[in-house]
Amino acid sequence: MVLSDSRFEEIWNSVLSKIEFEINDKAQFSAYFYNTKIAGIDGDTITVSVPSKFISEIIKAKYLELIQDILRETTQTNFKCIILDEEAIKNRALSGKDTDSKNINIKDHGFVTNLNPRYTFDNFVVGDKSNRESYTAALLVANNPGQFYNPLFIYGKSGLGKTHLLHAIGNKIRLNKSTFRVLYLTADDFFEEYVKAIKENEMEDLKDRFREIDVLLLDDIQFLATKEKTKETFFHIFNLLINSGKQIIITSDRHPSEIKSLEDRLVSRFAQGLSIEIKPLEYETALKILKKKIESQDINGGQISEEVLEYIASNYSGDVRQLEGALNKLLFYVITYNPTSVIDMNTVSETFKDAPKKHNENTLDANRIKSVVAEYYNISVSQLTSKLRTSNLVTARHIAMYICREMLDLPLMKIGEEFGGKDHTTVISAVEKVNKLSKENPDYAEAIKDLKKLLQNQ
Ligand code: ADP
Ligand code: MG
C-alpha cells in the first residue's frame, strides 16, 4: 500500500480522536498519546511511533487492543499494529530490519488476506491433552492444503487459541506457497460482505471473488447460524470451494451438531471433514505459555520469580486470553509504579488487590454478568462496554444489559453507567429489542437461557 505522510496523519488523527473518546480522561490521554504518530505502513503492519520506551510499554500493555480495534474500524483493514519508540525506529531504519515480524513475509499480490502475522505455529505452545490434536491437524492441513481433512473444523471455548491456529495455518501456507490465495474472515465479516453485496446488487461478484480463493479460514461460524440468507450463500460458496479441492478451515465455540439453526445439510457437510475440540489448558501448558510470552516481549524474565509464574498459571490456566491479561496487568503495574523492582508475590498481591477474590465469584453483580457475557461471545469486557458498533459487539452488549435488568433489576441509569456511560433511553431500547428478539428468534432465546444458567451456576 502506498500512502503519503499526510494520509497517515489523517488516519492517525481520526484514530486519536476515537481513542480520546474511549479513554474519556484528558490527562491520561495526553500523557500517553501526545506526540504519537504513524511512522509507516508496510503490508498489513502499521508502525506507530511514540516518544519513549516507557510510553511504548504502557501503550502496549494497556491500549494496544483498543488501538487495533479502532484502526480496524477506521481503515476497514485488519492491520497489525506495532508500537515503537523513536529510538527503536531509528535503529530499525539503520539496520533495515523489522524486529517485530520475523520470518513471515506476506506478499499480497494485491489480494487482501486479513492474516495477522503475529499468530504462527512457532509461537503456539503445544500442550498435552488440551491442544495437541488441534495443533497437529492444523499443521497437517497447513502443509497439505486441500488434501486431507476438508473442512477442518476446530471448536472449543473462547480464549483457547482457535483464532491463533487459523492465522497460523494461513501464514504457514503463505510461506510455503506464496501464490496461494488465503482469506481469513470472521463470520461477521462474511455477513457484512453479504449485506453489502445484496445492497449493491453484486452477489455474483461476491461469489466470483470467493471462487479465486485457495484457502478459506472462517472464524466463529456460530455467528452465522441465525442468519438464514447469509447461511444459504455460505453453503453455496462452501460447496463451490470444497468441490474444487480448495481447503476450508472453520472454527466455532461448539461442535457443529450443537449449533442451533445450522441445518443438517451443513452439519453433514462438515462431518465429511474432521472436527476437533480444543480443550482448556493444563497447568504445565499455561506455565509454558507465560514463559514464552515473557521471552517474546523482551521482558527481563529474571525479574519475575518462579513462584509468581506458578501463581498466575494456576489461577488463570484454562483460558489463554485471561492468562495473558493477568500477565499484562502485572507488567503494567510494574512499569507504571515500580519499574526497577523484582516481581515477587508482594507485587502480585499489590497488583491483584482489587481483583474479585475467588470466593466472591458467587455474588451476582453487573461485573459478573459482563464478564460471563463477554466470554460467551468471545470478546473482551472492554469491547462489551465500548462504543464500538460491530454487530456481534452490539448483540452481546444488548443481551448483557437485558440480563442486568432481568436478573439484578438494576435501574436503567445504573445499567447505562455500567456499559460505558450510555443514556438510559439506549438501555430501554436495548432491553426492549432483546425482549422482542427472544420471542421471535429461538437462538436468541437459547443464548439468554444458556447465559442465565451459567450465571446461576456460579
Ligand atoms: P479463541 O479464538 O479460541 O477465542 P485466540 O486464538 O484468540 O482464542 O487466543 C487468545 C490469546 O491467547 C491469543 O493472544 C493467542 O495468541 C493466545 N494463545 C492461545 N493459545 C495459545 C497457545 N497454545 N500458545 C500461545 N498462545 C496462545
Ligand atoms: Mg477467536
Side-chain angles (χ1 to χ4, degrees), residues 255-271:
H255 188 273
S257 62
E258 282 172 21
I259 308 178
K260 297 267 155 36
S261 324
L262 201 64
E263 307 95 331
D264 291 347
R265 57 177 184 165
L266 261 181
V267 176
S268 69
R269 277 304 244 158
F270 293 162

Side-chain angles (χ1 to χ4, degrees), residues 81-92:
C81 179
I82 299 176
I83 310 289
L84 285 179
D85 59 280
E86 285 161 7
E87 193 69 18
I89 290 181
K90 243 186 268 155
N91 293 342
R92 194 171 66 154

Side-chain angles (χ1 to χ4, degrees), residues 6 25 27 59 77 113 132 141 145 150-151 153-154 156 179 181 184 213 235 265 280 287 300 306 344 432:
S6 68
D25 178 328
I59 293 187
T77 309
T113 66
R132 183 170 294 272
V141 163
N150 213 0
F153 194 105
I154 301 174
T179 56
R181 300 199 147 184
Y184 167 89
I213 293 170
F235 186 60
R265 57 177 184 165
L287 196 59
N300 178 4
E306 190 71 19
D344 56 17
E432 281 173 356

Side-chain angles (χ1 to χ4, degrees), residues 3 51 53 81 150 188 211 263 278 292 296 341 384 413 447:
L3 287 176
K53 181 139 182 72
C81 179
N150 213 0
D188 261 338
R211 262 192 206 105
E263 307 95 331
I278 185 162
K292 184 129 189 168
S296 74
S341 77
L384 186 73
M413 292 275 285

